Amino acid sequence: MRYTPAAAALSLLVLVTGSMGAAKVNDAVDPRAQVLLDDGRAQLAKGMVDAATDSFEAALAVDPAHTGTYIALGDAARKAGLQGKAIHYYREALDRDPNNLSAISGEGGALAEKGALEKARTNLARLEGLCGKGCAETEALSAAIAHGAAPKVVAAEAVKPAPVIENN
């Protein structure tokens, strides 16, 4: 009985300390990085993928803790046809914020474009559990899965014409 108040205080301390570690960190972006992100999104909308990637990388250098920068880099990599690199950026964002809907949807879309439809469906199920079937991220991922894998680009060296023999 005489240890009950001390045990209660100790358990309260452990509870508060544990919840502080799991608390969501403020994901406020540095204003300089926000300007670069806005520029990059505008460039990406115009189809200038390389310039957008440069802006996003500069924003990452200014504020490396902002999750949205990794998602933007993933979007730019997908638009450039670099699905593997896009998956890397989306997973980096998911490491920072495991329930980020845009990162889950982007990773699933990149997986679908790469041909990993089963893994993309896993992301779709996760999205449906988080936000339902009607949210924009779920609809975008459903469309990417329905579209299927992106066509493979073949190098000119891989296609060799058969020699044609003509009689004179």
Side-chain angles (χ1 to χ4, degrees):
M1 278 301 216
R2 43 185 227 211
Y3 294 111
T4 304
L10 185 60
S11 63
L12 182 63
L13 176 69
V14 170
L15 178 72
V16 170
T17 306
S19 68
M20 285 173 48
K24 179 158 174 60
V25 178
N26 186 10
D27 198 28
V29 63
D30 184 295
R32 297 170 298 165
Q34 186 62 51
V35 169
L36 290 166
L37 283 170
D38 293 340
D39 289 345
R41 287 187 186 111
Q43 292 163 339
L44 194 59
K46 292 178 185 174
M48 301 182 330
V49 179
D50 291 334
T53 302
D54 290 343
S55 293
F56 296 146
E57 287 175 348
L60 186 65
V62 170
D63 188 3
H66 183 59
T67 305
T69 307
Y70 290 99
I71 295 170
L73 279 164
D75 293 343
R78 270 182 76 190
K79 202 155 194 175
L82 304 171
Q83 281 73 25
K85 193 171 189 177
I87 291 169
H88 167 75
Y89 286 128
Y90 291 128
R91 287 189 179 160
E92 196 64 42
L94 287 170
D95 285 345
R96 297 167 188 284
D97 183 9
N99 291 328
N100 189 304
L101 301 178
S102 297
I104 296 169
S105 177
E107 180 191 29
L111 287 167
E113 290 167 0
K114 198 167 182 159
L117 295 177
E118 215 39 55
K119 289 182 180 181
R121 286 188 188 99
T122 303
N123 279 24
L124 180 62
R126 185 174 171 198
L127 268 177
E128 288 174 351
L130 289 171
C131 70
K133 292 185 178 189
C135 74
E137 288 85 359
T138 304
E139 292 173 358
L141 182 52
S142 295
I145 291 172
H147 185 265
K152 302 262 187 229
V153 177
V154 179
E157 292 81 25
V159 180
K160 295 190 179 189
V164 178
I165 301 173
E166 295 181 8
N167 291 331
N168 288 337

